[in-house]
Amino acid sequence: MSERILIMGGGVIGLSCALELARRGRRVTVLEANRCGGQASGAAAGMLAPFSENTDGPDAFFQLCLRSLRLYPEWQAEVKRLSGLDFEYTNSGSLYVAYHEADMLALQGRLLWQRQYGSTGRIVEGDELFKLEPLLSRNALAALHTPEESHLYAPDYVRALEQACRNAGVDIAERLGKVTVAERGNGISLRAADGRRFEGDRLLVCSGAWAGELSETFGIRIPVYPIRGQICAYEADRAPTGARLVEHMVFCSQGYVVAKENNTLVCGASEDVAGFDSTVTEKGIERLRKWNKRLFPFLESREPFHRWAGLRPSTQDGFPLIGPLEGDERVIFAAGHYRNGILLSPVTAKLAADCAEGKRLEPLYEAFSPDRFGRRASVHFS
Ligand code: FAD
Ligand code: GLY
């Protein structure tokens, strides 16, 4: 009998890893505290935007994001095929807007290095900019247009992933409460809140913002913290021609606006330090509304019809944890994807599955080693 792989967490990362492993013929069980996709993954705006979201330079994280973007056309088609479910996946391209002359230098600098990584981006201004995005504020001076970027409808994508997993033979157990590591001996034994045990040969830790809770279990520092993202959506009718009110993903230094196929305009998102509190606050949404109107004046007279929030799994250095645990390679981490977990789901699934097959990751990925923050003092099992 082939080995069984246990996956802790049924968000986009756990489900993507499960699907990739099942496609490779592995036996997989996903163990989820509540409902699959019920945390950060179901709350996401679904942008696949490495050029617009990672603007510092071509570090290992940017390169990881870019690889994942390039896996997407095939990956999303496979998720649709295996699930029998459809979800929006739109190659809208993006505009990163500058309002002031002083912001132009940053856009130009970014464009220079991004071109070396395959971007066909350009800076667009004046009539050209307003032709691309007719309802954009006339206060916008220019924008970096990146045609390569896409977005999807995250709740539907996660639903399709879950269905694809089930169809591919993955066992999914939900509503288990917090699952803990009961034993790491010959095999690995996990315990649900009601005492039920699940036995396996390997463990993938995909528990998002909660991954830090395993620090004591594995004797390493796991500085993963929740950063709340508040986000809202407006109803967005279409022009008689069928054109959307907003055609691109539109970013500015304060956030983003993205129009979905279901005629909604998703506007995000705050970055709040609020522990594990995922409630929406009046202040948080008011702040979003303020700059939404600056970007698109037609929003002045509209109220968001939907407001929600999710907990992004942030890490101390901003990089995710992907790879095996030093000293016990049966334990593999795939957590801490912060603002880019939807984008990173295909590449993470591939890397985690490679690790589960005992393959060495290429040196670029050492930057994501789960052990990089050092050890902590005591290890015990409860
Ligand atoms: P989660 O989705 O949080 O899943 C972790 C799961 O593990 C949860 O279901 C939880 O219940 C379960 N769990 C935790 N502990 C245990 C345990 N002990 N036992 C059992 N189960 C456990 N990313 C993008 O790429 N593009 C975007 O446009 C984007 N927009 C975003 C907008 C917002 C407002 C937010 C909040 C996030 C956004 N993100 C975006 C980030 C993205 O949502 C996250 O990076 C991603 O969802 C992380 O996935 P995950 O599976 O690691 O975590
Ligand atoms: N990636 C968008 C967000 O995290 O809000």
Side-chain angles (χ1 to χ4, degrees):
M1 195 59 122
S2 70
E3 61 176 25
R4 177 159 292 276
I5 300 169
L6 303 177
I7 297 187
M8 186 190 284
V12 72
I13 298 298
L15 293 171
S16 298
C17 293
L19 183 60
E20 180 62 17
L21 285 160
R23 287 169 76 205
R24 297 187 191 191
R26 304 287 155 159
R27 295 190 306 142
V28 185
T29 305
V30 173
L31 304 170
E32 166 54 46
N34 295 300
R35 293 292 311 275
C36 286
Q39 295 291 347
S41 303
M47 298 178 301
L48 313 175
F51 295 104
S52 299
E53 289 228 77
N54 306 293
T55 54
D56 290 347
D59 58 13
F61 184 62
F62 167 79
Q63 294 185 52
L64 184 75
C65 289
L66 187 57
R67 286 182 187 191
S68 209
L69 179 71
R70 290 180 175 153
L71 292 174
Y72 246 104
E74 198 188 323
W75 171 260
Q76 60 86 30
E78 190 64 357
V79 175
K80 286 173 180 166
R81 190 183 70 78
L82 291 171
S83 64
L85 297 175
D86 199 11
F87 53 87
E88 178 183 7
Y89 169 70
T90 302
N91 176 228
S92 60
S94 64
L95 291 170
Y96 199 109
V97 172
Y99 288 103
H100 307 290
E101 203 60 56
D103 302 326
M104 295 298 290
L105 253 185
L107 285 196
Q108 280 153 357
R110 198 195 302 172
L111 181 57
L112 272 182
W113 69 259
Q114 292 190 343
R115 283 232 173 113
Q116 291 170 21
Y117 286 85
S119 166
T120 59
R122 276 184 334 108
I123 293 188
V124 288
E125 325 181 44
D127 287 350
E128 193 184 5
L129 172 58
F130 299 119
K131 205 166 164 201
L132 284 173
E133 206 54 80
L135 299 183
L136 186 65
S137 164
R138 282 345 187 221
N139 291 327
L141 185 65
L144 174 51
H145 177 217
T146 307
E148 284 74 24
E149 297 189 314
S150 300
H151 63 94
L152 51 69
Y153 192 69
D156 287 350
Y157 168 51
V158 179
R159 256 189 296 278
L161 270 175
E162 182 184 342
Q163 190 58 50
C165 283
R166 292 187 192 279
N167 294 351
V170 173
D171 289 332
I172 299 181
E174 297 179 282
R175 299 184 194 281
L176 296 176
K178 197 166 283 187
V179 171
T180 52
V181 180
E183 212 177 300
R184 264 193 305 151
N186 286 336
I188 294 180
S189 178
L190 300 191
R191 183 169 44 219
D194 66 2
R196 229 176 333 152
R197 292 264 197 151
F198 296 86
E199 313 294 334
D201 306 284
R202 286 182 194 271
L203 167 63
L204 255 66
V205 176
C206 303
S207 48
W210 293 264
E213 293 174 351
L214 295 169
S215 181
E216 198 173 331
T217 302
F218 296 120
I220 55 169
R221 288 188 62 236
I222 308 176
V224 176
Y225 311 103
I227 296 289
R228 182 173 65 191
Q230 299 188 54
I231 183 164
C232 64
Y234 298 82
E235 279 174 359
D237 36 323
R238 287 180 186 238
T241 56
R244 299 182 198 212
L245 292 182
V246 175
E247 289 291 348
H248 299 80
M249 283 177 280
V250 180
F251 293 87
C252 67
S253 59
Q254 302 300 306
Y256 52 81
V257 170
V258 48
K260 299 291 178 186
E261 208 164 64
N262 64 0
N263 294 348
T264 62
L265 204 57
V266 172
C267 302
S270 67
E271 288 187 318
D272 316 328
V273 179
F276 287 93
D277 177 359
S278 60
T279 50
V280 175
T281 67
E282 208 47 54
K283 196 172 153 202
I285 298 298
E286 250 335 287
R287 201 194 135 268
L288 290 180
R289 287 196 63 203
K290 206 165 141 192
W291 71 257
N292 292 165
K293 291 186 270 192
R294 280 196 68 209
L295 213 44
F296 287 104
F298 74 88
L299 291 175
E300 178 78 50
S301 58
R302 300 188 185 209
E303 279 284 329
F305 76 99
H306 185 30
R307 304 148 191 238
W308 69 99
L311 300 174
R312 302 182 188 91
S314 140
T315 62
Q316 189 175 307
D317 60 7
F319 283 17
L321 279 56
I322 304 175
L325 182 70
E326 198 183 304
D328 188 353
E329 303 211 336
R330 298 171 307 165
V331 178
I332 296 155
F333 278 78
H337 293 71
Y338 193 35
R339 295 180 61 102
N340 289 280
I342 304 292
L343 168 62
L344 288 169
S345 55
V347 80
T348 304
K350 185 184 170 314
L351 296 178
D354 284 351
C355 292
E357 290 179 342
K359 293 181 187 149
R360 289 260 151 253
L361 298 185
E362 61 179 277
L364 175 72
Y365 300 123
E366 279 165 19
F368 310 121
S369 158
D371 306 280
R372 67 185 183 275
F373 301 104
R375 303 205 72 76
R376 52 170 285 154
S378 62
V379 187
H380 74 86
F381 299 102
S382 52

